[in-house]
Amino acid sequence: MLESHLIIYFLLAVIQFLFGTFTNGIIVVVNGIDLIKHRKMAPLDLLLSCLAVSRIFLQLFIFYIDVVVIFLMEFIMCSANCVFIIFVNELELWFATWLGVFYCAKVASVPHPLFIWLKMRISKLVPWMILGSLLYVSMICIFRSKYTGFMVPYFLRNFFFQNATIQTEVKRGIQIFSFVAELLVPLLIFLVAVLLLIFSLGRHSQQMRNTVAGSRVPGKGAHISALLSILSFLILYISHYLIKAFLSSLKFHVKRSIFLFCILVIGTYPSGHSLILILGNPKLKQNTKKFLCHSKCCQ
């Protein structure tokens, strides 16, 4: 018999899983239909679709972890599954990072030659960003399997494998390198891009207020909405990283309630950010409304 707080958590996990799958599925379906109609896909739509597909797999894995922990099932992890999980998890983080870079290059205004070059070529660079992410994450997986010999993701290792550090002792330098390559590098790139974007939008909004004081300026609401969207994205992204870093750095076996809370926070990011993307994208927002209206009519 499950305890009351575990039943509540399981309901939250089911809602999170269904909501995350639905929001990311909407992005994939809308962009897929657009690809079939026009026989081509815009760079932003391609990046969003890749991000959404990786997040659907990530949501499935997070829900599996929830079920295993809540019902005290055996955690089955073969080598191939571990490689796939790490691959999807790291790939999702890189796609989200490149999305931040894409928005920064398109929206921000920075008078620097390198940034101007990036702004002019960002659309053409998107396929190379995706390909580069695939190659980089593949190298990380190969490195992990070859030099650490333990492929279970860091944020699961200390909960399911209490003696993992004894069984798979590796050099501290390799552990630090792996942590930096997997978590710190995309985080730093994302922070630079998003902070530049926030600074640029804030400066532009200030200029608009100073130019037309006391009157309603066209586009002012759009800039405020964009700032709020970016800030919420930033909060979700950093909280996702902090929880992963927290679980990865633990040297002891955490309690089940703490671990479940951390997994819930990790799962909030891929579903919550996808909702922000839909609300901030007119095409996705309009098609989501049509889908919901059609569902109501069918009922």
Side-chain angles (χ1 to χ4, degrees):
M1 188 71 180
L2 288 176
E3 300 175 12
S4 58
H5 71 279
L6 290 179
I7 295 174
I8 294 172
Y9 178 88
F10 180 69
L11 292 175
L12 290 175
V14 171
I15 293 170
Q16 184 185 79
F17 168 71
L18 294 176
F19 181 75
T21 306
F22 172 76
T23 52
N24 288 292
I26 285 289
I27 296 174
V28 174
V29 170
V30 169
N31 289 330
I33 293 173
D34 198 51
L35 174 63
I36 294 172
K37 285 182 178 179
H38 301 96
R39 300 296 178 88
K40 63 179 181 179
M41 185 177 286
L44 177 59
D45 293 340
L46 176 62
L47 189 55
L48 286 174
S49 298
C50 292
L51 179 61
V53 170
S54 65
R55 282 178 171 172
I56 289 173
F57 284 107
L58 185 61
Q59 291 285 173
L60 286 168
F61 171 65
I62 290 173
F63 184 68
Y64 167 68
I65 295 299
D66 288 328
V67 172
V68 168
V69 176
I70 291 172
F71 296 100
L72 298 175
M73 296 166 60
E74 183 182 357
F75 187 65
I76 303 172
M77 274 298 212
C78 65
S79 179
N81 288 342
C82 292
V83 172
F84 179 74
I85 288 165
I86 291 177
F87 185 82
V88 170
N89 180 53
E90 300 304 324
L91 200 59
E92 186 271 338
L93 291 176
W94 273 106
F95 286 157
T97 299
W98 293 134
L99 185 63
V101 172
F102 184 90
Y103 282 142
C104 176
K106 282 293 185 180
V107 179
S109 179
V110 179
H112 190 277
L114 181 61
F115 187 86
I116 294 172
W117 177 88
L118 180 64
K119 192 179 187 71
M120 294 175 63
R121 292 169 174 81
I122 188 65
S123 295
K124 294 180 180 179
L125 290 175
V126 167
W128 294 104
M129 289 176 173
I130 295 172
L131 180 60
S133 300
L134 289 168
L135 293 175
Y136 183 84
V137 174
S138 299
M139 290 173 61
I140 290 295
C141 291
I142 293 171
F143 175 84
R144 286 279 298 275
S145 61
K146 184 176 181 180
Y147 291 100
T148 67
F150 197 76
M151 289 300 297
V152 177
Y154 286 131
F155 62 95
L156 301 178
R157 182 180 56 192
N158 295 310
F159 183 82
F160 290 104
F161 302 91
Q162 298 183 50
N163 298 321
T165 54
I166 298 174
Q167 296 169 355
T168 59
E169 189 66 31
V170 296
K171 293 181 180 180
R172 186 170 179 79
I174 294 178
Q175 290 179 329
I176 294 173
F177 173 79
S178 183
F179 179 81
V180 169
E182 292 178 28
L183 294 178
L184 200 57
V185 172
L187 175 62
L188 291 177
I189 295 173
F190 174 81
L191 284 177
V192 170
V194 171
L195 290 176
L196 277 175
L197 183 54
I198 291 173
F199 173 76
S200 179
L201 286 174
R203 184 178 59 181
H204 186 66
S205 298
Q206 184 66 34
Q207 290 174 352
M208 291 170 67
R209 282 198 299 268
N210 294 336
T211 303
V212 189
S215 62
R216 183 175 178 82
V217 183
K220 181 179 177 181
H223 279 81
I224 294 174
S225 176
L227 273 172
L228 292 174
S229 176
I230 294 163
L231 286 172
S232 58
F233 181 15
L234 180 63
I235 292 170
L236 286 170
Y237 193 91
I238 291 179
S239 63
H240 182 78
Y241 263 99
L242 288 176
I243 293 296
K244 278 192 175 180
F246 168 71
L247 291 176
S248 300
S249 62
L250 291 177
K251 299 298 182 182
F252 52 88
H253 186 63
V254 296
K255 293 181 180 179
R256 183 162 60 151
S257 57
I258 297 175
F259 182 80
L260 285 173
F261 173 77
C262 292
I263 294 298
L264 188 65
V265 174
I266 290 175
T268 301
Y269 162 67
S271 55
H273 180 234
S274 296
L275 177 63
I276 294 171
L277 291 176
I278 291 175
L279 294 177
N281 188 308
K283 182 179 73 173
L284 293 174
K285 187 176 181 180
Q286 183 180 4
N287 281 278
T288 303
K289 287 181 178 179
K290 288 181 180 179
F291 179 81
L292 292 174
C293 290
H294 180 73
S295 299
K296 289 181 180 179
C297 291
C298 290
Q299 291 177 357

